[in-house]
Every structure is written in structure tokens, then in C-alpha cells.
Amino acid sequence: MPREPYYVQSLERGLAVIRAFDAQHPELTLSDVARICGLTRAAARRFLLTLSDLGYVRTDGRLFSLAPRVLELGYSYLSSLSLPEVAEPHLERLVADVRESSSMSVLDGDDIVYVARVPTSRIMRIAINVGTRFPAYATSMGRVLLAGLPDEHLEAYLNRVRLEPLTDRTLRTTGELRAELSRVRLHGHAVVDQELEEGLRAIAAPIRDRTGTVTGAVNVSVHAARATVDDIRARLLPPLLAAAGAIEADLRIAARRRTH
């Protein structure tokens, strides 16, 4: 794809080096980074040593890993976003009410990114923290966010997405996903039954700004042994919708304050 004249490829590659590290690959060798990022070993070495000098990467001489300072990159975004700070008290009240974990996420590309979370007990094999990413198609919050996209953006997503089967229950075709997103739009919430991880059920509702645009999603997750899908809708949906409405009301107040 042709690049614009202003495009700085070295910046793209430096960010790719940072993104090469994840929960499955917290430590990488120089050769690992070069392979993952499609760089020569010499180029990967320059990027890694520069990031090390800047304090974003650390090394023992053979293995490289991200340093805590890399959190500053995400914090700059989160500190400018009113959504998590507005939502957290409401998530805490929701969790106290239903005694199940609750989270909030936004859509970033084809993934959801967690921006707030109030857990009760750990019910997933993967630890979830602020900044955790999952594919949108397999999550309740992702489906709420996808259903909120304008039609042309949703069509573009459906044309490019690859539905990897994360469990035996994960939707396999874009036709199935399209039909499910239509139901989400109709009913105003999404339920995912063990499609992201076996034993995990979740229900999500949208968060809309004052123009009605879906800007985030909030969910409640529960172990499948504790609640059927019908139980989730009956017991968890009403307080979830109430929390979403309260968050939206506070966001409108915060938006008015920023404009005055």
C-alpha cells in the first residue's frame, strides 16, 4: 500500500517492536523480535537498544522484556479519557449488587481493550487487567461495540475479520455473526455463552455519548456453573442496564463541564 509523504516508517517499526511483547511472550530474544516484526537482526537490535536507552525495554544481555515505563504510553490515553473514571464507581456498585465481576471496554481496531475492571474472583485462565485485548467477535462487549458501528464500518469489519474458533462454541461464519449483531441491535444487549473461554458466560450493554453514538461497553461475567443464559438475562440484565444508564448520565454531565 502506498504511504503518505509524511509517513515515518521507523516509528511504525519501533511501535511494532513494543507490540511484539505480550502475555504469551513476555521475554524475547533478538532473533524472536526480528522474526515477529519482519526485521533484520541488525534493525531489531537498533530498535531494542534505543528503547532500552529510553527506559521502555530492559535486557539481561540475551532476553529482552518491556520495562514498567511503557505503561506511560497507555496512561497518557487513559488519563485523557473520562470514561474509565466516570464508570468505575458505577462498576463497583454493580459488582456489590450482583456479586459478579464487571468490566468496561472500548473498540480499538478489531479488538476490545479493557479500560476499567472490578473483579470479584478470577474465573478465567487469562488474567484480565486494564489494557487487556480480546477479539471483538467472541466477546459480549465486542458484539455490543460492533453492533453500534455505522453500517459501512460494520460491513468493512465483516469483510476482513477471520473468525478463529477460540472454543467449540465460537461462531464460525460471518453470516452467523451478522445475524447475532442484528439481534444485539434489536434487543440492546449481547450475551456470549462460552465462546471466548469454556466455562465463562457474559452479558454486555452499550454506553452511548450525548449524540447516541456507542463509545464503550460494560459487562458482567459469570462462571457457567453458577448461571444459565436465562438466569443471566433475568438476574443480571436489569442492574447492568441501570449501571449503563447511570454512566451515560454522568458522562453527559462531564461533557457539559468540559464545554463551559
Side-chain angles (χ1 to χ4, degrees):
M1 179 185 298
R3 300 295 191 185
E4 298 291 343
Y6 58 77
Y7 197 84
V8 182
Q9 190 173 50
S10 59
L11 176 59
E12 175 195 24
R13 290 174 174 173
L15 292 172
V17 168
I18 292 175
R19 291 197 302 270
F21 299 90
D22 57 23
Q24 286 72 45
H25 308 93
E27 294 183 317
L28 295 169
T29 65
L30 173 60
S31 297
D32 291 333
V33 172
R35 175 178 50 79
I36 292 170
C37 299
L39 300 172
T40 64
R41 281 175 52 86
R45 181 175 182 275
R46 289 197 301 272
F47 283 116
L48 286 166
L49 293 181
T50 299
L51 289 168
S52 178
D53 287 348
L54 293 172
Y56 294 113
V57 166
R58 56 192 175 193
T59 181
D60 62 4
R62 189 181 77 86
L63 291 173
F64 294 85
S65 60
L66 295 181
R69 190 175 184 183
V70 79
L71 293 172
E72 293 177 358
L73 302 176
Y75 182 75
S76 298
Y77 166 72
L78 289 175
S79 64
S80 67
L81 187 69
S82 63
L83 190 57
E85 61 185 5
V86 168
E88 192 157 330
H90 297 287
L91 298 187
E92 290 173 350
R93 284 192 286 273
L94 176 61
V95 168
D97 181 19
V98 302
R99 300 183 183 278
E100 303 289 356
S101 299
S102 181
S103 305
M104 171 170 283
S105 71
V106 296
L107 194 63
D108 182 30
D110 294 347
D111 296 335
I112 63 164
V113 178
Y114 283 70
V115 296
R117 178 162 171 78
V118 179
T120 51
S121 59
R122 183 170 170 180
I123 59 175
M124 292 188 69
R125 291 191 302 272
I126 303 170
I128 299 177
N129 302 295
V130 170
T132 296
R133 306 174 71 93
F134 289 122
Y137 66 83
T139 66
S140 60
M141 290 189 288
R143 290 183 184 171
V144 163
L145 291 162
L146 291 172
L149 290 174
D151 288 343
E152 62 272 21
H153 293 173
L154 178 57
E155 284 303 314
Y157 169 84
L158 291 171
N159 287 334
R160 69 176 177 266
V161 68
R162 294 182 60 190
L163 303 182
E164 301 291 342
L166 304 178
T167 75
D168 290 341
R169 298 170 181 258
T170 309
L171 294 184
R172 301 300 177 93
T173 70
T174 53
E176 291 174 317
L177 180 58
R178 187 191 302 273
E180 179 59 26
L181 295 178
S182 295
R183 285 190 287 271
V184 173
R185 283 182 170 182
L186 177 64
H187 298 295
H189 69 273
V191 175
V192 166
D193 182 9
Q194 305 180 78
E195 294 186 48
L196 177 66
E197 181 172 307
E198 290 287 350
L200 179 72
R201 292 183 173 128
I203 186 168
I207 301 295
R208 294 181 173 87
D209 64 16
R210 58 183 174 176
T211 70
T213 301
V214 176
T215 57
V218 59
N219 86 339
V220 175
S221 53
V222 59
H223 197 283
R226 293 203 298 269
T228 66
V229 170
D230 289 341
D231 292 336
I232 288 172
R233 285 198 172 97
R235 180 171 68 89
L236 300 180
L237 182 58
L240 175 65
L241 293 176
I247 292 168
E248 290 175 348
D250 280 0
L251 285 173
R252 287 192 291 271
I253 293 171
R256 286 197 296 269
R257 287 175 178 168
R258 287 197 299 270
T259 57
H260 287 84

